[in-house]
Every structure is written in C-alpha cells, then in structure tokens.
Amino acid sequence: MVQFPEQFRWGTGTYSYQVEGAAHEDGRGESIWDRFCATPGTIVNNESGLVACDHYHRYAEDIALLKQLGVQMYHFSIAWPRIMPTGRGPVNQLGLDFYDRLVDALLEAGIEPFATLYHWDLPQALQDELGGWANRETAYAFAEYVDVVTKHFGSRIHNWLTLNEPAVTAFEGHEIGIHAPGARDVRLAWQTTHHFLLAHGLAVPIIRANGDEKTRVGITLNFTQLDPVSDTPEDVAATRFMDGKMHRWFLDPIFRGAYPADVVKHLGDYVPKTETGDAEIIARPLDFLGANYYTRSVIKHDPTAFSEYPSVDVEGVEHTEMDWEVYPRGIYNMLTRLHREYAVPRIYLVENGAAFADAVNPDDTVDDPRRIAYLREHLLQVHTAIAEGVPLAGYSVWALLDNFEWSEGYRMRFGIVYVDYPTQKRIMKASGHWYQKVIASNTVH
Ligand SMILES: OC[C@H]1NNC[C@@H](O)[C@@H]1O
C-alpha cells in the first residue's frame, strides 16, 4: 500500500469533441473534425462526434459522477467553434453560456476546473480561409480566441492548458492523415508544429493578463516510452530521432528556448520556417507542464524512412484494445526524465488510462479488472517518481466517460464510466469504484 502526498490532487477528464455532441446546436460552428468525420472511410463505422455522449445536455449528470468519484479537479476542453463559430470575429454568447453552466456547476461541486483551450477541434472556416495550422495567421486567430475566453472565465478558471498533445494533431493530422484535417504532407506537418508552439506562446501572456493572482498556465504534451528494437547504431539512431520528433521538438523550445539541433540537422530544408522573436514567444515561462502517458513503442530503423520510423509489436506482453503495450515503468521514466532533464517547476499527469473490451453484466455492472490493474501499476510507478522528488501535483485518469476515440470511433472504451450510447445511460465501472476508494484514502493498494 502506498500513501500519496497530503496535497496531491486526483482528477479525471474529457474533451469537447469527444463527449459534447450537440454539434449543430446553439450557434456552434463547424469544426475540422465534423468535416473529417463526414468524409466516408475516415472513421471506423463512419462514426462522428455529432452526438457523442450528449455531454452538452447531460453535463450536470456527469458532474454528479465526478462528485461521486470525489475528484478534486476536472480536465475538459473548450470548443473554439462554440465560442467563435467562424474562428475569428463574432462571439457566440450561447457557446459562452454552455461553459458558464459547466464551470459554475463544477465550482458549486467544489471541483477545480482545468481548462484546455484547444484540443484539435479547429473551426473549419479557418481551415478554409487560412489553410488551418499551415498558416501562421491561425496562431494569431488562436490568440484572439484565447483573449475572449480568458476575459470571460479568468476569475473562475485558474488552471489553463493552452494546447493538448500538439504533436499528435500535427503529425497524425498533417503527415499520417488519420486525424483531421487529413493532410499527408511531411513539410506541412513540421511547419504546423511551429505554428502550434507559436500559438501556445502567444496565449501565455494573454491568459495571465486576463487572470488573477491564482492563475496558472501550462501546456499538455504526450509522452511514449521509446526503446530501440536492437542496440545496432541504426535502431538506436532511429529511436533517438523519434524521441526528438515526439518529445524534444516540443520540450526544448518551451523549456530551453530552441529546437533540438539533432532534429534540425536531420530535417534539413524540411525544418519549419520561423520568424525573429518566435523563440522568445514560445519559451515564455510556464507554471506547470501537463503530461500524458499510455504506452511504449519499440522503434526499428527503416532505410526508406525520413520523418517516421516504424514500431514493432512486442510479443508475449499485455496489450490494450488499442494494441498499445502495457508498460507501467514508462510513466516513471517519463516523470523522472522531465524532472532531471528539464527542471519543470510542477507537473500534472493529465492523461493515463487504457481501452479494454468492457461489457455490461445482466445486473448492470461493468467489471474491468484489467483497467484496475493498469491504473494500479501505473500509480505505483507514479508514487515511486514522487518519492524520488518529482514535483507531481496531481494525477488525472483518462477518461471519465467512454467517448469518441477519433479515428477509432466509439469502439474504444477508455472510460471509468461506461456509456451505453443508444440510451446514453452511464454506468460506473468497477475501475470507477476502485478509483473512488483511491481518492478517498489517497492511497493505492
Ligand atoms: O488515445 C487516448 C487519448 N489520448 N490523448 C488525447 C485524447 O483525445 C485521446 O482520447
């Protein structure tokens, strides 16, 4: 049994496009994910976030679940297309009204809102008019949107995350093409990474100016344990590059003020175009780093590869429904690395969880022992990292609800609460009841 620190905060989360639904309600504008999902063949079963978990209408019920869990914090994202339906200019009051209802209900429940300003649902109008994140102008449009939102919520929301997982939306959305907007252009993908980081840096002083003495600002980056399939120089170099692409390309400009030289060298003339002053904007000091961890990838050299090296499947070890290896030690490695190599002032673990093939029993319960085991093993590693001095202030399990898992649609269930989509009925899974006890006791057995 391990005891977590006295002030340690426990949470869970969702994100706008994955749970809200109400895609055509109350003035919400079209997002690039609405458009992407409408393209046949992009999403399993051609599903979309049009209805999702109907959280837009059921948020009060979902907050009651948060209260039942006993969480101290709740991660959610604000949908830019609800606030500014065309991405710039006119503000949609009904969009602000929804998040007013959500935030006020969270505060009433004694739950700290942790708001992410952008989780992938770019207004389609900006994709049409500017080319989306390919265009530097979109970073400035983001800053305008952030000003509107933080002016409105700055006295009630004190923990802000500018972006969630920019690496994923940059590369899966613009290089691999399995995420919105579905581009397949290596040069474009790397250029978007710079515009995401610029957008982040532009937002930081705006959030602070519109906040108060309690306002804290961060960004959430995703981390995967990366190991070479062998110790040959080629496999080791391929792994080092992927660590650069997925991790150091974002950590270094934010915490060290420059892109990692080895990746810049590798990219050659594919390196993103930047402007004087960008590096200082991106490196503006943060109060904390949000970090997501799920799994390990074992990387293999490929002579034909340039920007993406393949991973190999590891036989004989547990995998989740996403075919992700269960590798708890990786969360310890990530946390201690951030502390050791980047001296991050404070860290919140924003996402950690697993998709398993959950099913409802005849008595309306859901047994998910594999998720309990996954969470327990990762939390034991988290505790070890804290004991070694990592400034981890809180942990949030992904996710509160089963939800729209992007290109996988609804077949992947990450929730500690089961969602029966045809009826929208919520059922707390065994892992939810287990997590409730962890929070109440602040210990993991
Ligand atoms: O794949 C699980 C999660 N990963 N991070 C971003 C979220 O939107 C995903 O659901």
Side-chain angles (χ1 to χ4, degrees):
M1 186 274 283
V2 294
Q3 174 88 35
F4 278 75
E6 194 58 39
Q7 298 308 317
F8 193 73
R9 293 209 268 193
W10 298 94
T12 186
T14 65
Y15 294 119
S16 49
Y17 192 77
Q18 297 180 267
V19 295
E20 286 180 3
H24 301 137
E25 204 159 322
D26 289 346
R28 175 187 179 279
E30 185 184 14
S31 80
I32 58 173
W33 270 94
D34 300 309
R35 181 69 61 89
F36 189 66
C37 292
T39 309
T42 57
I43 312 295
V44 166
N45 302 326
N46 290 322
E47 292 169 337
S48 76
L50 286 179
V51 176
C53 306
D54 193 32
H55 179 69
Y56 188 81
H57 299 109
R58 298 168 189 268
Y59 70 91
E61 177 185 350
D62 294 333
I63 291 173
L65 288 166
L66 293 172
K67 233 172 134 43
Q68 185 185 341
L69 287 163
V71 297
Q72 293 95 18
M73 62 184 172
Y74 175 59
H75 283 274
F76 63 99
S77 70
I78 293 171
W80 188 347
R82 286 201 190 281
I83 307 301
M84 302 170 90
T86 58
R88 294 176 288 187
V91 173
N92 174 33
Q93 185 59 46
L94 292 175
L96 289 172
D97 292 351
F98 167 63
Y99 294 106
D100 275 334
R101 294 193 294 274
L102 178 70
V103 169
D104 291 346
L106 286 168
L107 295 173
E108 177 64 29
I111 297 167
E112 182 82 41
F114 275 64
T116 292
L117 285 153
Y118 183 75
H119 188 51
W120 306 356
D121 43 1
L122 183 74
Q124 181 64 40
L126 295 180
Q127 190 70 35
D128 296 340
E129 294 160 18
L130 298 178
W133 290 103
N135 190 330
R136 185 184 174 84
E137 266 313 297
T138 299
Y140 290 89
F142 176 72
E144 184 186 328
Y145 151 69
V146 168
D147 191 37
V148 167
V149 171
T150 53
K151 273 197 171 69
H152 187 83
F153 292 102
S155 62
R156 287 174 285 163
I157 298 176
H158 294 113
N159 290 282
W160 295 95
L161 296 128
T162 54
L163 310 175
N164 189 56
E165 299 191 347
V168 174
T169 190
F171 293 115
E172 294 194 20
H174 301 86
E175 175 180 6
I176 300 166
I178 61 168
H179 279 190
R184 287 178 170 77
D185 179 329
V186 174
R187 187 183 301 281
L188 167 67
W190 283 96
Q191 187 61 56
T192 68
T193 66
H194 183 65
H195 295 155
F196 281 118
L197 286 163
L198 179 63
H200 159 73
L202 290 170
V204 172
I206 294 170
I207 295 167
R208 293 197 193 289
N210 292 337
D212 58 30
E213 74 289 346
K214 290 184 287 187
T215 298
R216 303 288 180 268
V217 195
I219 183 172
T220 304
L221 303 178
N222 57 294
F223 299 90
T224 298
Q225 171 76 32
L226 298 176
D227 292 317
V229 69
S230 82
D231 59 5
T232 62
E234 294 78 11
D235 288 336
V236 170
T239 306
R240 171 90 176 134
F241 172 76
M242 290 304 287
D243 175 62
K245 175 179 180 180
M246 299 310 290
H247 304 143
R248 293 180 289 114
W249 187 257
F250 298 88
L251 285 167
D252 285 23
I254 291 170
F255 292 106
R256 295 179 176 169
Y259 286 117
D262 60 312
V263 181
V264 169
K265 183 165 180 282
H266 178 104
L267 291 176
D269 76 354
Y270 277 74
V271 73
K273 291 180 183 54
T274 63
E275 292 190 12
T276 306
D278 288 357
E280 291 71 20
I281 291 170
I282 295 168
R284 285 165 171 165
L286 301 179
D287 300 299
F288 61 80
L289 175 66
N292 297 343
Y293 175 83
Y294 288 94
T295 186
R296 172 171 80 140
S297 286
V298 177
I299 305 298
K300 180 176 173 51
H301 174 68
D302 173 338
T304 67
F306 168 66
S307 172
E308 180 76 15
Y309 285 94
S311 59
V312 300
D313 196 28
V314 180
E315 304 289 331
V317 292
E318 186 179 8
H319 289 70
T320 71
E321 284 299 293
M322 291 288 282
D323 202 22
W324 292 351
E325 182 185 354
V326 177
Y327 193 82
R329 190 62 175 173
I331 204 168
Y332 166 87
N333 294 340
M334 169 195 77
L335 290 169
T336 51
R337 178 193 189 183
L338 289 172
H339 182 46
R340 187 179 61 246
E341 294 181 16
Y342 290 91
V344 180
R346 169 176 289 200
I347 304 169
Y348 280 98
L349 205 291
V350 174
E351 293 178 34
N352 176 236
F356 290 114
D358 304 323
V360 183
N361 297 319
D363 66 353
D364 255 7
T365 58
V366 178
D367 297 321
D368 55 342
R370 294 178 67 192
R371 183 171 291 103
I372 292 173
Y374 177 100
L375 295 176
R376 173 188 292 113
E377 292 309 312
H378 284 78
L379 281 169
L380 291 175
Q381 293 292 335
V382 164
H383 184 269
T384 303
I386 294 170
E388 294 179 10
V390 172
L392 187 72
Y395 171 95
S396 186
V397 65
W398 180 260
L400 170 65
L401 303 173
D402 293 337
N403 62 79
F404 179 71
E405 181 53 29
W406 309 112
S407 56
E408 296 293 343
Y410 295 96
R411 68 176 181 174
M412 294 299 166
R413 294 181 176 274
F414 276 89
I416 54 176
V417 174
Y418 185 95
V419 177
D420 176 55
Y421 294 108
T423 65
Q424 290 294 355
K425 181 177 177 184
R426 276 79 161 136
I427 302 172
M428 182 84 74
K429 300 177 188 174
S431 59
H433 294 296
W434 176 83
Y435 193 53
Q436 185 182 13
K437 293 184 180 68
V438 167
I439 297 170
S441 64
N442 204 27
T443 62
V444 169
H445 292 267

